[in-house]
Each structure stands twice: as structure tokens, then as C-alpha cells.
Amino acid sequence: MKVTQEIQVASSAESVFEFFQDVPAVAQCMPGAKLTEDRGDGSYRGTVSVRLGPMTAGFEGEATVASDPDTMTGQISGKGVDRRGGSRGQVNVKYAVVAADDGSTVSVDADITISGAAAQFGRTGLINQISQRLIRDFVRCIEAKLQAESESSAAEISAGEVKGISLVASTVGSEISSGVKKLFKKD
């Protein structure tokens, strides 16, 4: 599955790119993610946990992070296994940070492969919708960290837990609301 997003961050491109080089800080802004080991040379181990209704997927895995400061681009490759549910996931992400009038724009292109029980959510398009919601939370966390008054106060800022039922409900509710608005616009 391909996920393409363009996000706006109310900070300079240089400060956003510099922030992305601090992998532990970035991990704090990813809902449900926890960095467990820095293996050196841009290689990390960690977990990502998501509850989707009755299902909880807790992926354990590793990621490799590389970046190019000259072009303000980067790449993240990761893979993980949900040992309890038997699901597997793999992701390849490319990002680019560019200056914009009101801060910066980050373009993200992700190629996500999920197999096992968690894959059923990909078939409905729900993963794409949920990823958009998680990205909004990620951006809010980045902006809060970049605008923090001190390093210690920035270190205390992190993304909240991924609450599957409320996340799915708000995503589905948003789709219903959008559909109703389109229905009334036709008249």
C-alpha cells in the first residue's frame, strides 16, 4: 500500500530537518512507537503498538535511517513482527523537507506491506485514513517540541497512546460526515 502525505510544519525547513536527525525525539512523536535500542550507524530497534477495535498489534522490529543534509531528504526502512497476532509489517519511507511561506513542507512517500490479521484493515482503506490522523498528531508533537522553551521541556513532550476504538470511531465518523456534506451539496 502506498501512503503519500504532504505536511506543513510551522518552523523553518532547517530546524525541521535538524529535528528529524534526532531519531529518539522523532520516535517520541510517533503515536504508539517506542525506541528500545540505538545499534549505531543509523540502525535502531523498537516497538510500535496499535489497538484497532478488538485487535491489538504490537510490532517489534528494526529500522535503518539515512539522510542527506545537502538536499534535506531522508529514507527510513523498517520491518517488524507482531508475535502474538502473527502479523508482519514492512515499511520504506522517503521524505523531503522544503521551505514554505509559513514554515516548511515535509513530503512523505511510504510503501507499506502488512500481512496476517492486521492486513484486514488495509483492505478497507482504514489504514490510510488512520495514518492521516496519526500524521496530524505527529505534526502537533513536532511543532510543540520545536517551540518548547528548553531542551528539558521538549524532552517531556511526546505523542499520546494510540487508542484504537476512538481512532477508528473518529475516522469512520469523519467519513460519514464528509459523505453527508457531499449529499447535501448536490442539491
Side-chain angles (χ1 to χ4, degrees), residues 105-117:
T105 301
V106 182
S107 300
V108 179
D109 289 312
D111 189 5
I112 303 168
T113 305
I114 299 175
S115 62

Side-chain angles (χ1 to χ4, degrees), residues 90-108:
Q90 187 170 353
V91 64
N92 289 301
V93 178
K94 292 181 181 179
Y95 70 88
V97 181
V98 296
D101 291 337
D102 54 350
S104 58
T105 301
V106 182
S107 300
V108 179

Side-chain angles (χ1 to χ4, degrees), residues 9-76:
V9 182
S11 293
S12 72
E14 292 78 13
S15 62
V16 172
F17 183 77
E18 182 179 323
F19 174 76
F20 279 6
Q21 306 318 296
D22 184 353
V23 174
V26 172
Q28 285 182 318
C29 283
M30 297 175 74
K34 181 177 179 183
L35 188 64
T36 58
E37 181 184 358
D38 180 346
R39 301 175 77 184
D41 294 332
S43 179
Y44 300 88
R45 293 197 54 77
T47 61
V48 176
S49 179
V50 181
R51 285 185 297 204
L52 298 168
M55 182 188 155
T56 300
F59 291 91
E60 297 176 23
E62 55 189 53
T64 303
V65 180
S67 64
D68 181 354
D70 294 332
T71 59
M72 287 199 286
T73 59
Q75 184 169 340
I76 304 162

Side-chain angles (χ1 to χ4, degrees), residues 2-10 16 20 93-110 128 131-136 138-139 142-143:
K2 297 275 189 189
V3 176
T4 302
Q5 292 283 325
E6 198 168 85
I7 56 178
Q8 306 298 316
V9 182
V16 172
F20 279 6
V93 178
K94 292 181 181 179
Y95 70 88
V97 181
V98 296
D101 291 337
D102 54 350
S104 58
T105 301
V106 182
S107 300
V108 179
D109 289 312
N128 199 349
S131 70
Q132 291 175 12
R133 171 82 186 270
L134 294 175
I135 287 171
R136 281 195 301 264
F138 178 68
V139 170
I142 290 172
E143 288 178 336

